[in-house]
Amino acid sequence: MQNKVIYPGTFDPITYGHVSIIERAARLFDHVVVAIAANTHKKTTLFSVDERVTMARDVLKHLSNVSVCNFQGLLLDFVKNQQSRIILRGLRAVADFEFELQLASMHQQLASEIETIFLMPSVQYAHVSSTLIREMASLGSDVSMFVPEAVSKALLKHFSRKKA
Ligand code: ADP
């Protein structure tokens, strides 16, 4: 049986923190599916789901065992449809732990055959969050240290269009 792991999230936008997690997972598993949520607990997103998928595909094209797709509805259904049994999440700091513990515990109770595993990013990206990136970029800050070039360009375009 091939080991396929599902890495779900909003990826609004994808950052070097996410990429660091995905590169690690690509070394550990046969296949990594980056699953970009169309509907999310975050009420609105800066980028549409299609834009988020396109950016992620572009940024991850060097990883041959990684694919990117969007998903709607329940994550557990998506994981089962993909014939996977592993959900991957990233842990930055203690702040992530509470929410991730709740989510993993609920998933464990709902589908005990599916495991959630956690990876940490490279230390230099342990503080990077899409929320902060969006906020800093909206104020005109250079975020190219924290996100791939395609993403910083998309952010620049988005916010300069808004200003015009
Ligand atoms: P969600 O909307 O589900 O929180 P995100 O797109 O924000 O999704 O993140 C997806 C996953 O990646 C989550 O597990 C999140 O904790 C993790 N993550 C986000 N940024 C980083 C980072 N810099 N380092 C490690 N994990 C991260």
Side-chain angles (χ1 to χ4, degrees):
M1 193 175 95
Q2 287 233 321
N3 261 329
K4 187 190 213 181
V5 67
I6 311 294
Y7 181 35
T10 312
F11 302 95
D12 185 36
I14 189 164
T15 70
Y16 280 140
H18 296 122
V19 174
S20 173
I21 297 285
I22 295 162
E23 285 176 341
R24 285 177 154 68
R27 291 196 289 268
L28 293 169
F29 296 94
D30 297 319
H31 195 84
V32 182
V33 178
V34 177
I36 303 193
N39 41 1
T40 125
H41 57 280
K42 294 161 190 167
K43 283 180 205 93
T44 55
T45 54
L46 185 66
F47 294 106
S48 71
V49 68
D50 289 342
E51 288 171 319
R52 284 177 278 139
V53 167
T54 304
M55 268 189 282
R57 281 197 182 135
D58 185 32
V59 164
L60 300 168
K61 59 180 184 276
H62 61 294
L63 299 167
S64 61
N65 62 337
V66 173
S67 57
V68 181
C69 61
N70 69 56
F71 80 99
Q72 302 213 0
L74 277 180
L75 173 63
L76 287 179
D77 291 340
F78 178 80
V79 174
K80 287 176 196 165
N81 284 339
Q82 289 283 317
Q83 289 171 335
S84 170
R85 290 167 163 233
I86 315 164
I87 297 171
L88 169 66
R89 297 284 288 175
L91 279 183
R92 281 164 289 202
V94 189
D96 279 339
F97 186 74
E98 178 105 35
F99 176 69
E100 296 294 341
L101 179 73
Q102 280 179 0
L103 200 64
S105 306
M106 284 187 64
H107 283 155
Q108 199 180 73
Q109 281 182 279
L110 290 166
S112 58
E113 72 281 14
I114 293 174
E115 293 292 345
T116 303
I117 61 156
F118 298 93
L119 288 177
M120 291 189 315
S122 301
V123 279
Q124 73 264 38
Y125 302 127
H127 56 285
V128 177
S129 81
S130 300
T131 307
L132 276 179
I133 296 293
R134 289 194 304 273
E135 180 142 351
M136 288 170 74
S138 76
L139 298 169
S141 169
D142 176 9
V143 291
S144 56
M145 278 173 73
F146 311 117
V147 296
E149 200 183 342
V151 175
S152 53
K153 277 188 182 158
L155 284 163
L156 207 63
K157 196 168 153 196
H158 180 90
F159 289 114
S160 57
R161 207 189 303 139
K162 254 193 147 177
K163 247 192 245 161

